[in-house]
Amino acid sequence: MKTTIKTTMIACTVLAFIAAVVYALVGTDVIAIPRLGAEEAPVAVFYIAAGCYLVGGLLVLWRRRWLWTVGLAANAWVICVFFLAYHRKPEMMVSAPGLATKITQVLLEAGLIYLVVAGRSRTQTAHQTQLSGSS
């Protein structure tokens, strides 16, 4: 079980870094988003998102369940905002950056869910072991 958690943590970190790279490429206009002007999404938004995913990816490696939970909620919020903002703009939904970020974010979300659930069961098992050992 410990190996699976470690592998999932590394996978989540890689996925967060991929999302960060895509956001940075959009911010530098290497990857263009169709029909999205600077007034709708200022360049700073992409750099902030890239920074958040970079830091968040590193925080996953800290092995703190509460950080995984915060990351899970923040990532879900980003996904929801995207779909609420662009659900009527198929050119945005199926654009290269739209698909790249959302696929990585959905996979990251699945990994974080696993970490939060597995972290809970691991903590409960350790606590039960301590209780039975002290009896």
Side-chain angles (χ1 to χ4, degrees):
M1 175 109 156
K2 194 172 186 176
T3 304
T4 307
I5 289 176
K6 186 175 182 177
T7 303
T8 305
M9 287 170 44
I10 292 168
C12 286
T13 299
V14 169
L15 289 165
F17 286 178
I18 291 170
V21 167
V22 172
Y23 279 121
L25 291 174
V26 170
T28 57
D29 215 22
V30 172
I31 300 176
I33 297 177
R35 299 184 193 170
L36 187 63
E39 63 281 347
E40 190 174 345
V43 175
V45 169
F46 299 112
Y47 291 125
I48 291 168
C52 288
Y53 276 99
L54 188 65
V55 171
L58 292 173
L59 289 176
V60 167
L61 298 175
W62 237 9
R63 289 185 179 261
R64 299 289 185 264
R65 190 167 169 263
W66 70 271
L67 282 174
W68 295 336
T69 305
V70 169
L72 180 68
N75 191 49
W77 179 77
V78 169
I79 293 169
C80 287
V81 166
F82 176 82
F83 283 109
L84 288 173
Y86 299 112
H87 71 279
R88 293 185 187 222
K89 294 184 179 183
E91 67 276 1
M92 180 63 157
M93 298 287 272
V94 297
S95 68
L99 287 174
T101 56
K102 294 314 149 248
I103 289 170
T104 56
Q105 289 165 348
V106 167
L107 292 173
L108 174 60
E109 193 76 0
L112 289 171
I113 290 169
Y114 173 78
L115 289 174
V116 168
V117 171
R120 172 185 289 161
S121 65
R122 197 168 142 225
T123 304
Q124 288 175 344
T125 304
H127 183 66
Q128 288 171 349
T129 304
Q130 285 178 340
L131 289 176
S132 65
S134 63
S135 308

